[in-house]
Amino acid sequence: MQTILVVDDTKTNIDILVDLLDEYDIITSLNGEEAIESVNREDIDLILLDIMMPNMDGYEVCKKLKSSQRTKNIPIIFLTAKSEQSDIEKGFKLGAVDYLIKPFYPSELKARVKTHLELRGYQKNLEKKVEEEVEKNRQKEQLLFQKSKQAEIGELLMHISHQWKQPLTEIGSLNMHNTAQIKLAQKIDPQEFLQSFDKISDILKFMSSTMESFQNFYKPKFKNEYFNISTAVNNALNIVGATFEEFNISITIEQKNKSQAYGNMNEYVNVILTILNNTKDIALIKEVSEPKVSITIDVLKNGKSLVEIKDNCGGIEFDNINDVFLPFISQKNGVGIGLYLAKNICIKNGGDITVQNSDGGALFTITL
């Protein structure tokens, strides 16, 4: 049952309205202050409000309710003896949905009350549906970011394994050589032995430095600042370099102009990484014989930074190429969120990312 708040400083008027609207749940107030307390305490669907009341008149009550985020959408019908055109205009200007002059026709009042309660019902249902959709989208976004983090961890572990594969092989080889000398009781040159340990120490320092690079990149940073585009690109290449070398994917860089941009550098590096990782996956899936990636750094005439990343992996096979930036759309049987998030990162930082097929491959263009 819908609830109506009746506000009037004359009890006789309230009794008439309570009898007339007995099919609804009625709450009554004899003054403006009490009315505002009732609205803040109860779930009100409609207010029938008198204007001429002591201390706080109906206009002031309406103004206060319409200024509150919680109560501004509650429909108000002025029910008053004030019949001047200026009074009516003022009532509507303050946000009332209707204006009835006393004495009123009971049938007219009931019809208008019914109409505005129906509209209020539609409005509340719509608000509920909007809230439900917002919550669904929030949960969906949360799921996207969770999957993104899982994908990032997977990529991180893969890149670390490729970065460390060669150094660990070298350490193993040195240890095997030293162990063989000891077991075979060969004459050991102390200087050679020390050099072997020094080399192992240098390799471990290198491995430690690569781990610090990964930690610095994946550590959250929220500050926007000016940064060098070529530095950002090189940071991305430091992470994927060993992986690309492992899979024989060649990378060339051409810097036409020195370029600076303003934004979150870590997020920007993540955009570069997303494209490079995507290219690597496509190259492996399609078994491209000599996969190549070329990166061009430049500045547009409007002052925006420009990075173009082009590959030779056959291009994007969607009917609508821009679908590659939609969530859960993937060319490689993945979760399909990397390029979606990369697009959002670019837009959030005041730039954009676009793609087109060019000369047997995909060409991604990033501006900031």
mmCIF file of all heavy atoms in Angstrom, residues 52-100:
data_model
loop_
_atom_site.group_PDB
_atom_site.id
_atom_site.type_symbol
_atom_site.label_atom_id
_atom_site.label_comp_id
_atom_site.label_asym_id
_atom_site.label_seq_id
_atom_site.Cartn_x
_atom_site.Cartn_y
_atom_site.Cartn_z
ATOM 1 N N MET A 52 -0.691 27.820 3.888
ATOM 2 C CA MET A 52 -0.821 28.776 5.003
ATOM 3 C C MET A 52 -0.766 28.061 6.342
ATOM 4 O O MET A 52 -1.774 27.543 6.841
ATOM 5 C CB MET A 52 -2.117 29.567 4.844
ATOM 6 C CG MET A 52 -2.112 30.482 3.626
ATOM 7 S SD MET A 52 -3.613 31.460 3.444
ATOM 8 C CE MET A 52 -4.800 30.203 2.990
ATOM 9 N N MET A 53 0.448 28.008 6.908
ATOM 10 C CA MET A 53 0.670 27.393 8.215
ATOM 11 C C MET A 53 1.608 28.295 9.009
ATOM 12 O O MET A 53 2.455 28.990 8.424
ATOM 13 C CB MET A 53 1.306 26.004 8.054
ATOM 14 C CG MET A 53 0.430 24.982 7.353
ATOM 15 S SD MET A 53 1.165 23.330 7.307
ATOM 16 C CE MET A 53 2.613 23.632 6.271
ATOM 17 N N PRO A 54 1.506 28.301 10.343
ATOM 18 C CA PRO A 54 2.376 29.155 11.159
ATOM 19 C C PRO A 54 3.820 28.645 11.173
ATOM 20 O O PRO A 54 4.077 27.467 10.901
ATOM 21 C CB PRO A 54 1.744 29.060 12.556
ATOM 22 C CG PRO A 54 1.036 27.746 12.556
ATOM 23 C CD PRO A 54 0.547 27.547 11.151
ATOM 24 N N ASN A 55 4.751 29.536 11.508
ATOM 25 C CA ASN A 55 6.188 29.237 11.643
ATOM 26 C C ASN A 55 6.835 28.875 10.310
ATOM 27 O O ASN A 55 7.661 29.596 9.786
ATOM 28 C CB ASN A 55 6.436 28.137 12.676
ATOM 29 C CG ASN A 55 5.962 28.530 14.059
ATOM 30 O OD1 ASN A 55 6.046 29.702 14.443
ATOM 31 N ND2 ASN A 55 5.442 27.575 14.806
ATOM 32 N N MET A 56 6.473 27.751 9.740
ATOM 33 C CA MET A 56 7.025 27.315 8.452
ATOM 34 C C MET A 56 5.868 27.039 7.503
ATOM 35 O O MET A 56 5.114 26.088 7.682
ATOM 36 C CB MET A 56 7.879 26.052 8.641
ATOM 37 C CG MET A 56 8.570 25.585 7.354
ATOM 38 S SD MET A 56 9.425 23.982 7.545
ATOM 39 C CE MET A 56 10.721 24.419 8.696
ATOM 40 N N ASP A 57 5.725 27.877 6.469
ATOM 41 C CA ASP A 57 4.604 27.667 5.546
ATOM 42 C C ASP A 57 4.919 26.563 4.542
ATOM 43 O O ASP A 57 6.030 26.023 4.491
ATOM 44 C CB ASP A 57 4.219 28.970 4.848
ATOM 45 C CG ASP A 57 5.291 29.491 3.904
ATOM 46 O OD1 ASP A 57 6.203 28.719 3.537
ATOM 47 O OD2 ASP A 57 5.213 30.676 3.506
ATOM 48 N N GLY A 58 3.925 26.221 3.729
ATOM 49 C CA GLY A 58 4.073 25.125 2.774
ATOM 50 C C GLY A 58 5.156 25.355 1.735
ATOM 51 O O GLY A 58 5.832 24.414 1.308
ATOM 52 N N TYR A 59 5.320 26.616 1.317
ATOM 53 C CA TYR A 59 6.378 26.918 0.340
ATOM 54 C C TYR A 59 7.759 26.547 0.895
ATOM 55 O O TYR A 59 8.599 25.963 0.200
ATOM 56 C CB TYR A 59 6.360 28.405 -0.019
ATOM 57 C CG TYR A 59 5.178 28.844 -0.855
ATOM 58 C CD1 TYR A 59 4.543 30.062 -0.618
ATOM 59 C CD2 TYR A 59 4.719 28.053 -1.903
ATOM 60 C CE1 TYR A 59 3.464 30.481 -1.387
ATOM 61 C CE2 TYR A 59 3.636 28.465 -2.683
ATOM 62 C CZ TYR A 59 3.011 29.669 -2.418
ATOM 63 O OH TYR A 59 1.942 30.073 -3.192
ATOM 64 N N GLU A 60 7.995 26.903 2.159
ATOM 65 C CA GLU A 60 9.302 26.624 2.768
ATOM 66 C C GLU A 60 9.505 25.125 2.964
ATOM 67 O O GLU A 60 10.603 24.609 2.762
ATOM 68 C CB GLU A 60 9.415 27.355 4.111
ATOM 69 C CG GLU A 60 10.823 27.313 4.683
ATOM 70 C CD GLU A 60 10.969 28.148 5.941
ATOM 71 O OE1 GLU A 60 10.035 28.913 6.269
ATOM 72 O OE2 GLU A 60 12.012 28.019 6.607
ATOM 73 N N VAL A 61 8.431 24.424 3.341
ATOM 74 C CA VAL A 61 8.519 22.969 3.469
ATOM 75 C C VAL A 61 8.905 22.346 2.130
ATOM 76 O O VAL A 61 9.802 21.495 2.038
ATOM 77 C CB VAL A 61 7.178 22.380 3.960
ATOM 78 C CG1 VAL A 61 7.217 20.841 3.912
ATOM 79 C CG2 VAL A 61 6.868 22.857 5.367
ATOM 80 N N CYS A 62 8.227 22.776 1.063
ATOM 81 C CA CYS A 62 8.502 22.265 -0.284
ATOM 82 C C CYS A 62 9.952 22.542 -0.681
ATOM 83 O O CYS A 62 10.655 21.665 -1.207
ATOM 84 C CB CYS A 62 7.536 22.910 -1.278
ATOM 85 S SG CYS A 62 7.718 22.318 -2.973
ATOM 86 N N LYS A 63 10.407 23.759 -0.422
ATOM 87 C CA LYS A 63 11.775 24.153 -0.771
ATOM 88 C C LYS A 63 12.799 23.275 -0.064
ATOM 89 O O LYS A 63 13.775 22.820 -0.662
ATOM 90 C CB LYS A 63 11.992 25.619 -0.412
ATOM 91 C CG LYS A 63 13.310 26.190 -0.897
ATOM 92 C CD LYS A 63 13.384 27.686 -0.583
ATOM 93 C CE LYS A 63 14.705 28.270 -1.075
ATOM 94 N NZ LYS A 63 14.795 29.721 -0.772
ATOM 95 N N LYS A 64 12.592 23.008 1.226
ATOM 96 C CA LYS A 64 13.514 22.178 1.998
ATOM 97 C C LYS A 64 13.533 20.738 1.478
ATOM 98 O O LYS A 64 14.596 20.121 1.340
ATOM 99 C CB LYS A 64 13.130 22.194 3.480
ATOM 100 C CG LYS A 64 13.528 23.470 4.211
ATOM 101 C CD LYS A 64 13.178 23.382 5.694
ATOM 102 C CE LYS A 64 13.622 24.643 6.434
ATOM 103 N NZ LYS A 64 15.088 24.765 6.492
ATOM 104 N N LEU A 65 12.355 20.202 1.187
ATOM 105 C CA LEU A 65 12.280 18.821 0.708
ATOM 106 C C LEU A 65 12.929 18.673 -0.671
ATOM 107 O O LEU A 65 13.606 17.675 -0.948
ATOM 108 C CB LEU A 65 10.821 18.361 0.659
ATOM 109 C CG LEU A 65 10.116 18.228 2.017
ATOM 110 C CD1 LEU A 65 8.668 17.826 1.820
ATOM 111 C CD2 LEU A 65 10.828 17.201 2.895
ATOM 112 N N LYS A 66 12.749 19.654 -1.540
ATOM 113 C CA LYS A 66 13.310 19.584 -2.889
ATOM 114 C C LYS A 66 14.821 19.820 -2.898
ATOM 115 O O LYS A 66 15.502 19.481 -3.871
ATOM 116 C CB LYS A 66 12.626 20.599 -3.813
ATOM 117 C CG LYS A 66 11.159 20.288 -4.090
ATOM 118 C CD LYS A 66 10.995 18.910 -4.711
ATOM 119 C CE LYS A 66 9.546 18.520 -4.908
ATOM 120 N NZ LYS A 66 9.383 17.165 -5.470
ATOM 121 N N SER A 67 15.361 20.382 -1.816
ATOM 122 C CA SER A 67 16.804 20.620 -1.745
ATOM 123 C C SER A 67 17.563 19.419 -1.184
ATOM 124 O O SER A 67 18.791 19.396 -1.179
ATOM 125 C CB SER A 67 17.101 21.847 -0.872
ATOM 126 O OG SER A 67 16.711 21.618 0.472
ATOM 127 N N SER A 68 16.823 18.420 -0.713
ATOM 128 C CA SER A 68 17.451 17.227 -0.142
ATOM 129 C C SER A 68 17.501 16.106 -1.177
ATOM 130 O O SER A 68 16.514 15.813 -1.844
ATOM 131 C CB SER A 68 16.673 16.747 1.087
ATOM 132 O OG SER A 68 17.099 15.458 1.484
ATOM 133 N N GLN A 69 18.658 15.472 -1.313
ATOM 134 C CA GLN A 69 18.829 14.382 -2.263
ATOM 135 C C GLN A 69 17.873 13.233 -1.948
ATOM 136 O O GLN A 69 17.356 12.580 -2.857
ATOM 137 C CB GLN A 69 20.286 13.892 -2.217
ATOM 138 C CG GLN A 69 20.667 12.903 -3.304
ATOM 139 C CD GLN A 69 20.661 13.532 -4.683
ATOM 140 O OE1 GLN A 69 20.907 14.714 -4.846
ATOM 141 N NE2 GLN A 69 20.370 12.722 -5.699
ATOM 142 N N ARG A 70 17.614 13.001 -0.673
ATOM 143 C CA ARG A 70 16.777 11.868 -0.273
ATOM 144 C C ARG A 70 15.300 12.095 -0.566
ATOM 145 O O ARG A 70 14.555 11.163 -0.852
ATOM 146 C CB ARG A 70 16.975 11.600 1.226
ATOM 147 C CG ARG A 70 16.213 10.393 1.748
ATOM 148 C CD ARG A 70 16.440 10.196 3.239
ATOM 149 N NE ARG A 70 15.629 9.103 3.753
ATOM 150 C CZ ARG A 70 14.359 9.214 4.102
ATOM 151 N NH1 ARG A 70 13.756 10.387 4.004
ATOM 152 N NH2 ARG A 70 13.685 8.169 4.557
ATOM 153 N N THR A 71 14.845 13.351 -0.484
ATOM 154 C CA THR A 71 13.396 13.626 -0.569
ATOM 155 C C THR A 71 12.972 14.399 -1.811
ATOM 156 O O THR A 71 11.781 14.650 -1.988
ATOM 157 C CB THR A 71 12.944 14.412 0.678
ATOM 158 O OG1 THR A 71 13.678 15.655 0.736
ATOM 159 C CG2 THR A 71 13.215 13.617 1.942
ATOM 160 N N LYS A 72 13.915 14.770 -2.656
ATOM 161 C CA LYS A 72 13.578 15.662 -3.769
ATOM 162 C C LYS A 72 12.629 15.045 -4.794
ATOM 163 O O LYS A 72 11.927 15.759 -5.519
ATOM 164 C CB LYS A 72 14.854 16.140 -4.467
ATOM 165 C CG LYS A 72 15.603 15.057 -5.219
ATOM 166 C CD LYS A 72 16.824 15.623 -5.936
ATOM 167 C CE LYS A 72 17.519 14.564 -6.782
ATOM 168 N NZ LYS A 72 18.686 15.131 -7.502
ATOM 169 N N ASN A 73 12.588 13.709 -4.865
ATOM 170 C CA ASN A 73 11.747 13.063 -5.881
ATOM 171 C C ASN A 73 10.336 12.740 -5.401
ATOM 172 O O ASN A 73 9.526 12.219 -6.171
ATOM 173 C CB ASN A 73 12.423 11.780 -6.375
ATOM 174 C CG ASN A 73 13.667 12.069 -7.200
ATOM 175 O OD1 ASN A 73 13.710 13.068 -7.911
ATOM 176 N ND2 ASN A 73 14.674 11.216 -7.088
ATOM 177 N N ILE A 74 10.036 13.030 -4.138
ATOM 178 C CA ILE A 74 8.675 12.773 -3.639
ATOM 179 C C ILE A 74 7.724 13.820 -4.225
ATOM 180 O O ILE A 74 7.942 15.028 -4.047
ATOM 181 C CB ILE A 74 8.627 12.836 -2.097
ATOM 182 C CG1 ILE A 74 9.589 11.808 -1.487
ATOM 183 C CG2 ILE A 74 7.207 12.596 -1.601
ATOM 184 C CD1 ILE A 74 9.714 11.908 0.018
ATOM 185 N N PRO A 75 6.684 13.397 -4.929
ATOM 186 C CA PRO A 75 5.758 14.376 -5.527
ATOM 187 C C PRO A 75 4.963 15.123 -4.457
ATOM 188 O O PRO A 75 4.517 14.534 -3.464
ATOM 189 C CB PRO A 75 4.854 13.511 -6.410
ATOM 190 C CG PRO A 75 4.953 12.139 -5.853
ATOM 191 C CD PRO A 75 6.321 12.011 -5.267
ATOM 192 N N ILE A 76 4.793 16.428 -4.675
ATOM 193 C CA ILE A 76 4.053 17.283 -3.746
ATOM 194 C C ILE A 76 2.877 17.928 -4.477
ATOM 195 O O ILE A 76 3.053 18.530 -5.545
ATOM 196 C CB ILE A 76 4.963 18.375 -3.154
ATOM 197 C CG1 ILE A 76 6.074 17.736 -2.304
ATOM 198 C CG2 ILE A 76 4.150 19.370 -2.324
ATOM 199 C CD1 ILE A 76 7.103 18.734 -1.804
ATOM 200 N N ILE A 77 1.672 17.784 -3.900
ATOM 201 C CA ILE A 77 0.488 18.479 -4.407
ATOM 202 C C ILE A 77 0.118 19.551 -3.380
ATOM 203 O O ILE A 77 -0.151 19.236 -2.212
ATOM 204 C CB ILE A 77 -0.709 17.525 -4.595
ATOM 205 C CG1 ILE A 77 -0.384 16.441 -5.628
ATOM 206 C CG2 ILE A 77 -1.944 18.314 -5.032
ATOM 207 C CD1 ILE A 77 -1.506 15.414 -5.800
ATOM 208 N N PHE A 78 0.142 20.815 -3.803
ATOM 209 C CA PHE A 78 -0.328 21.873 -2.910
ATOM 210 C C PHE A 78 -1.853 21.831 -2.850
ATOM 211 O O PHE A 78 -2.524 21.810 -3.884
ATOM 212 C CB PHE A 78 0.151 23.243 -3.394
ATOM 213 C CG PHE A 78 1.563 23.559 -2.992
ATOM 214 C CD1 PHE A 78 2.539 23.809 -3.939
ATOM 215 C CD2 PHE A 78 1.917 23.632 -1.651
ATOM 216 C CE1 PHE A 78 3.840 24.113 -3.570
ATOM 217 C CE2 PHE A 78 3.215 23.929 -1.260
ATOM 218 C CZ PHE A 78 4.185 24.168 -2.220
ATOM 219 N N LEU A 79 -2.382 21.803 -1.636
ATOM 220 C CA LEU A 79 -3.835 21.782 -1.418
ATOM 221 C C LEU A 79 -4.144 22.963 -0.495
ATOM 222 O O LEU A 79 -3.930 22.900 0.722
ATOM 223 C CB LEU A 79 -4.245 20.458 -0.772
ATOM 224 C CG LEU A 79 -5.734 20.158 -0.647
ATOM 225 C CD1 LEU A 79 -6.413 20.187 -2.011
ATOM 226 C CD2 LEU A 79 -5.947 18.801 0.003
ATOM 227 N N THR A 80 -4.602 24.094 -1.078
ATOM 228 C CA THR A 80 -4.623 25.351 -0.343
ATOM 229 C C THR A 80 -5.761 26.267 -0.799
ATOM 230 O O THR A 80 -6.320 26.088 -1.885
ATOM 231 C CB THR A 80 -3.266 26.079 -0.536
ATOM 232 O OG1 THR A 80 -3.299 27.341 0.114
ATOM 233 C CG2 THR A 80 -2.974 26.282 -2.011
ATOM 234 N N ALA A 81 -6.042 27.243 0.046
ATOM 235 C CA ALA A 81 -7.043 28.259 -0.303
ATOM 236 C C ALA A 81 -6.431 29.418 -1.085
ATOM 237 O O ALA A 81 -7.159 30.289 -1.588
ATOM 238 C CB ALA A 81 -7.705 28.786 0.973
ATOM 239 N N LYS A 82 -5.119 29.445 -1.211
ATOM 240 C CA LYS A 82 -4.450 30.526 -1.960
ATOM 241 C C LYS A 82 -4.673 30.301 -3.453
ATOM 242 O O LYS A 82 -4.189 29.312 -4.005
ATOM 243 C CB LYS A 82 -2.947 30.557 -1.646
ATOM 244 C CG LYS A 82 -2.654 31.021 -0.207
ATOM 245 C CD LYS A 82 -1.169 30.953 0.123
ATOM 246 C CE LYS A 82 -0.380 32.056 -0.542
ATOM 247 N NZ LYS A 82 -0.677 33.397 -0.004
ATOM 248 N N SER A 83 -5.405 31.216 -4.076
ATOM 249 C CA SER A 83 -5.852 30.980 -5.452
ATOM 250 C C SER A 83 -5.299 31.969 -6.470
ATOM 251 O O SER A 83 -5.669 31.928 -7.643
ATOM 252 C CB SER A 83 -7.385 31.020 -5.504
ATOM 253 O OG SER A 83 -7.862 32.274 -5.025
ATOM 254 N N GLU A 84 -4.444 32.897 -6.043
ATOM 255 C CA GLU A 84 -3.878 33.855 -6.981
ATOM 256 C C GLU A 84 -2.946 33.138 -7.977
ATOM 257 O O GLU A 84 -2.278 32.160 -7.627
ATOM 258 C CB GLU A 84 -3.090 34.940 -6.235
ATOM 259 C CG GLU A 84 -3.922 35.815 -5.319
ATOM 260 C CD GLU A 84 -4.895 36.697 -6.094
ATOM 261 O OE1 GLU A 84 -4.552 37.064 -7.241
ATOM 262 O OE2 GLU A 84 -5.981 37.000 -5.568
ATOM 263 N N GLN A 85 -2.906 33.695 -9.197
ATOM 264 C CA GLN A 85 -2.061 33.101 -10.222
ATOM 265 C C GLN A 85 -0.595 33.076 -9.781
ATOM 266 O O GLN A 85 0.130 32.107 -10.035
ATOM 267 C CB GLN A 85 -2.201 33.891 -11.545
ATOM 268 C CG GLN A 85 -1.424 33.296 -12.715
ATOM 269 C CD GLN A 85 -1.944 31.913 -13.113
ATOM 270 O OE1 GLN A 85 -3.136 31.632 -12.971
ATOM 271 N NE2 GLN A 85 -1.059 31.062 -13.588
ATOM 272 N N SER A 86 -0.171 34.137 -9.083
ATOM 273 C CA SER A 86 1.222 34.202 -8.622
ATOM 274 C C SER A 86 1.514 33.106 -7.593
ATOM 275 O O SER A 86 2.621 32.556 -7.545
ATOM 276 C CB SER A 86 1.521 35.571 -8.018
ATOM 277 O OG SER A 86 0.641 35.847 -6.930
ATOM 278 N N ASP A 87 0.503 32.770 -6.773
ATOM 279 C CA ASP A 87 0.674 31.695 -5.783
ATOM 280 C C ASP A 87 0.859 30.348 -6.479
ATOM 281 O O ASP A 87 1.719 29.546 -6.098
ATOM 282 C CB ASP A 87 -0.546 31.618 -4.858
ATOM 283 C CG ASP A 87 -0.740 32.889 -4.047
ATOM 284 O OD1 ASP A 87 0.286 33.478 -3.640
ATOM 285 O OD2 ASP A 87 -1.904 33.282 -3.809
ATOM 286 N N ILE A 88 0.030 30.148 -7.506
ATOM 287 C CA ILE A 88 0.096 28.879 -8.262
ATOM 288 C C ILE A 88 1.451 28.759 -8.969
ATOM 289 O O ILE A 88 2.110 27.707 -8.919
ATOM 290 C CB ILE A 88 -1.058 28.793 -9.277
ATOM 291 C CG1 ILE A 88 -2.406 28.811 -8.538
ATOM 292 C CG2 ILE A 88 -0.938 27.541 -10.135
ATOM 293 C CD1 ILE A 88 -3.615 28.942 -9.450
ATOM 294 N N GLU A 89 1.887 29.840 -9.617
ATOM 295 C CA GLU A 89 3.180 29.823 -10.321
ATOM 296 C C GLU A 89 4.330 29.555 -9.360
ATOM 297 O O GLU A 89 5.260 28.802 -9.671
ATOM 298 C CB GLU A 89 3.393 31.158 -11.040
ATOM 299 C CG GLU A 89 2.484 31.353 -12.248
ATOM 300 C CD GLU A 89 2.667 32.716 -12.895
ATOM 301 O OE1 GLU A 89 3.501 33.513 -12.392
ATOM 302 O OE2 GLU A 89 1.980 32.990 -13.897
ATOM 303 N N LYS A 90 4.265 30.171 -8.174
ATOM 304 C CA LYS A 90 5.317 29.961 -7.180
ATOM 305 C C LYS A 90 5.361 28.506 -6.736
ATOM 306 O O LYS A 90 6.438 27.910 -6.571
ATOM 307 C CB LYS A 90 5.089 30.870 -5.971
ATOM 308 C CG LYS A 90 6.191 30.778 -4.933
ATOM 309 C CD LYS A 90 5.976 31.778 -3.796
ATOM 310 C CE LYS A 90 7.096 31.691 -2.777
ATOM 311 N NZ LYS A 90 6.925 32.644 -1.662
ATOM 312 N N GLY A 91 4.195 27.892 -6.569
ATOM 313 C CA GLY A 91 4.137 26.494 -6.156
ATOM 314 C C GLY A 91 4.805 25.572 -7.164
ATOM 315 O O GLY A 91 5.604 24.701 -6.798
ATOM 316 N N PHE A 92 4.481 25.780 -8.446
ATOM 317 C CA PHE A 92 5.095 24.937 -9.480
ATOM 318 C C PHE A 92 6.595 25.219 -9.618
ATOM 319 O O PHE A 92 7.384 24.309 -9.858
ATOM 320 C CB PHE A 92 4.383 25.142 -10.818
ATOM 321 C CG PHE A 92 3.075 24.413 -10.915
ATOM 322 C CD1 PHE A 92 1.877 25.106 -11.014
ATOM 323 C CD2 PHE A 92 3.038 23.035 -10.909
ATOM 324 C CE1 PHE A 92 0.659 24.441 -11.101
ATOM 325 C CE2 PHE A 92 1.830 22.354 -11.003
ATOM 326 C CZ PHE A 92 0.637 23.061 -11.095
ATOM 327 N N LYS A 93 6.983 26.489 -9.451
ATOM 328 C CA LYS A 93 8.400 26.856 -9.559
ATOM 329 C C LYS A 93 9.233 26.176 -8.472
ATOM 330 O O LYS A 93 10.386 25.810 -8.682
ATOM 331 C CB LYS A 93 8.548 28.367 -9.474
ATOM 332 C CG LYS A 93 9.960 28.871 -9.795
ATOM 333 C CD LYS A 93 10.029 30.392 -9.790
ATOM 334 C CE LYS A 93 9.319 30.973 -10.997
ATOM 335 N NZ LYS A 93 9.524 32.440 -11.080
ATOM 336 N N LEU A 94 8.632 25.982 -7.299
ATOM 337 C CA LEU A 94 9.342 25.328 -6.192
ATOM 338 C C LEU A 94 9.428 23.810 -6.356
ATOM 339 O O LEU A 94 10.132 23.144 -5.610
ATOM 340 C CB LEU A 94 8.642 25.670 -4.859
ATOM 341 C CG LEU A 94 8.846 27.096 -4.340
ATOM 342 C CD1 LEU A 94 7.966 27.350 -3.134
ATOM 343 C CD2 LEU A 94 10.319 27.336 -3.987
ATOM 344 N N GLY A 95 8.693 23.259 -7.330
ATOM 345 C CA GLY A 95 8.822 21.828 -7.613
ATOM 346 C C GLY A 95 7.588 20.993 -7.389
ATOM 347 O O GLY A 95 7.648 19.754 -7.479
ATOM 348 N N ALA A 96 6.439 21.611 -7.082
ATOM 349 C CA ALA A 96 5.205 20.840 -6.903
ATOM 350 C C ALA A 96 4.776 20.222 -8.232
ATOM 351 O O ALA A 96 5.016 20.785 -9.302
ATOM 352 C CB ALA A 96 4.095 21.738 -6.368
ATOM 353 N N VAL A 97 4.124 19.064 -8.158
ATOM 354 C CA VAL A 97 3.645 18.401 -9.377
ATOM 355 C C VAL A 97 2.205 18.788 -9.695
ATOM 356 O O VAL A 97 1.729 18.572 -10.815
ATOM 357 C CB VAL A 97 3.755 16.865 -9.263
ATOM 358 C CG1 VAL A 97 5.196 16.430 -9.142
ATOM 359 C CG2 VAL A 97 2.920 16.342 -8.105
ATOM 360 N N ASP A 98 1.503 19.369 -8.694
ATOM 361 C CA ASP A 98 0.107 19.735 -8.916
ATOM 362 C C ASP A 98 -0.302 20.786 -7.887
ATOM 363 O O ASP A 98 0.388 20.989 -6.874
ATOM 364 C CB ASP A 98 -0.800 18.499 -8.810
ATOM 365 C CG ASP A 98 -1.997 18.585 -9.754
ATOM 366 O OD1 ASP A 98 -2.388 19.727 -10.103
ATOM 367 O OD2 ASP A 98 -2.533 17.530 -10.133
ATOM 368 N N TYR A 99 -1.463 21.457 -8.159
ATOM 369 C CA TYR A 99 -1.922 22.541 -7.293
ATOM 370 C C TYR A 99 -3.450 22.523 -7.285
ATOM 371 O O TYR A 99 -4.088 22.713 -8.331
ATOM 372 C CB TYR A 99 -1.400 23.879 -7.843
ATOM 373 C CG TYR A 99 -1.467 25.045 -6.877
ATOM 374 C CD1 TYR A 99 -0.315 25.505 -6.247
ATOM 375 C CD2 TYR A 99 -2.671 25.702 -6.619
ATOM 376 C CE1 TYR A 99 -0.352 26.595 -5.377
ATOM 377 C CE2 TYR A 99 -2.733 26.782 -5.756
ATOM 378 C CZ TYR A 99 -1.569 27.228 -5.139
ATOM 379 O OH TYR A 99 -1.603 28.307 -4.283
ATOM 380 N N LEU A 100 -4.035 22.244 -6.115
ATOM 381 C CA LEU A 100 -5.496 22.194 -5.992
ATOM 382 C C LEU A 100 -5.963 23.281 -5.012
ATOM 383 O O LEU A 100 -5.365 23.470 -3.954
ATOM 384 C CB LEU A 100 -5.940 20.832 -5.472
ATOM 385 C CG LEU A 100 -6.108 19.719 -6.518
ATOM 386 C CD1 LEU A 100 -6.354 18.394 -5.814
ATOM 387 C CD2 LEU A 100 -7.250 20.032 -7.464
#
